[in-house]
Every structure is written in structure tokens, then in C-alpha cells.
Amino acid sequence: LRRFGTADEVARAVLFLVSGGVDSTVAFTLCVKALGRKRVQGVYVDTGLMRKDETRRFRERMGRLGYRNIDVIDRSDAFLAPLSRVTEPEQKRKIIGEAFVAVYRELFGAWAKKGDTWMLGQGTIYPDTIESGGTANAALIKTHHNRVPEIQKLQEQDRLIEPIHQLYKDEVRQLGRR
């Protein structure tokens, strides 16, 4: 992965985890437009759970859009091995969330000595928060990989940026078309 600035050179830079889906791609694009390409580094993590040719198509699509500040990394072993004998859906979601956090920690460690100048960016939408029991009147339906305990801790420390967290999927799609 290329490094786009040290902690001293870049104030509050964002490491943005991009899944290739609409939500994270739109959220990443908003961050880039708001902060500039030098302050936002995208990372697409190939978990091994992608559809056939999805990673290749993602690379092509982002290239056509002119994004050079996004890396694609293969971490399929880190995701597939822990999931190999798990059948319970909620446990699978927690394993996936923990694997994403491990990737996030690895990347932050590689990029910055002063981790407090870096933030994590995600494409969380409002239904993710509701389903994870993240509102006053919502019970846990299912945990999303972007709502595991370490991500919650980053949120409490104001080190998490989620530019579309109050939107629904149809609103994100409209925004993406614009």
C-alpha cells in the first residue's frame, strides 16, 4: 500500500474502507469531494466473499472514475479461515466485523505513528444502525460488520466518519446518481 502522508503532514486524514457496494462508494466519494484526495485513502478489502470478478470490476470502475487514492488488498485468508466451520449467522457477522477491524489496525499501524490524527471512514447507512440496535428504540436484529465493539469505540472517540449514516438505501442511490 502506498502512503499518502505522515501524521504530521496530514491533519485528520481518513482511511476509508470501501466494499465496492453503493453505500461505501458514495460515502468515499463524498469524503474525497469534501476533504480532497490527499486526505482520503480508500482501501477495498477482498474478503474472498465477493461475487465472481467483482474485485476486477471494482478496480476498473474506480479507475474509470479517476480514483488513484484507493488500494485493493487481498485478505481472503483472514476472513475465510475463521468462517470455515461457523454456521450461525450472527457469529459469522461478528467474525467478519472483527476481521475488518484487524485489517484496519494493520493499515493504521503501517501508516501513522500518531493514530489520533487518522480517522476511519465507512459507508454505514441508517438501517445498519437500526438493525444493530444502535438507536434508543431499536432492538438488535443483526450485527453489522461496521458496528462491532472496536468500531463503537472509535465512534466514541470521534475517530469515525460516516457521511451517509442518516440516509436510507434509496437516498444513497439518488445521491450516487448525482
Side-chain angles (χ1 to χ4, degrees), residues 83-98:
L83 290 170
S84 66
R85 296 181 187 237
V86 178
T87 58
E88 204 275 307
E90 183 66 14
Q91 185 60 30
K92 285 182 177 185
R93 286 188 279 275
K94 288 181 180 177
I95 289 169
I96 291 168
E98 290 166 6

Side-chain angles (χ1 to χ4, degrees), residues 55-65:
T55 299
R56 178 187 55 78
R57 286 192 306 269
F58 175 79
R59 271 193 185 112
E60 292 170 358
R61 189 170 44 246
M62 296 311 271
R64 280 194 307 273
L65 291 171

Side-chain angles (χ1 to χ4, degrees), residues 12 16 23 29-30 55 64 127 131 141-142 155-156 172:
R12 300 297 274 187
F16 212 101
D23 303 338
T29 301
L30 288 172
T55 299
R64 280 194 307 273
E131 290 173 353
I141 297 169
K142 65 180 184 178
Q155 190 172 26
E156 291 164 11
V172 175

Side-chain angles (χ1 to χ4, degrees), residues 23 125-127 130 164 166-173:
D23 303 338
I125 61 174
Y126 191 61
I130 293 171
I164 59 172
Q166 294 182 337
L167 300 180
Y168 288 90
K169 179 71 85 176
D170 59 335
E171 295 170 316
V172 175
R173 286 190 177 123

Side-chain angles (χ1 to χ4, degrees), residues 98-161:
E98 290 166 6
F100 270 115
V101 168
V103 169
Y104 152 78
R105 262 193 254 114
E106 170 195 337
L107 297 173
F108 265 31
W111 282 336
K113 291 179 184 174
K114 295 181 182 177
D116 61 340
T117 63
W118 291 80
M119 298 179 73
L120 176 66
Q122 302 188 129
T124 305
I125 61 174
Y126 191 61
D128 298 343
T129 304
I130 293 171
E131 290 173 353
S132 296
T135 64
N137 298 315
L140 174 67
I141 297 169
K142 65 180 184 178
T143 301
H144 284 262
H145 67 272
N146 51 13
R147 282 294 176 257
V148 295
E150 193 160 341
I151 300 295
Q152 301 284 26
K153 184 177 175 185
L154 288 172
Q155 190 172 26
E156 291 164 11
Q157 297 169 343
D158 290 326
R159 293 185 57 205
L160 182 66
I161 185 165

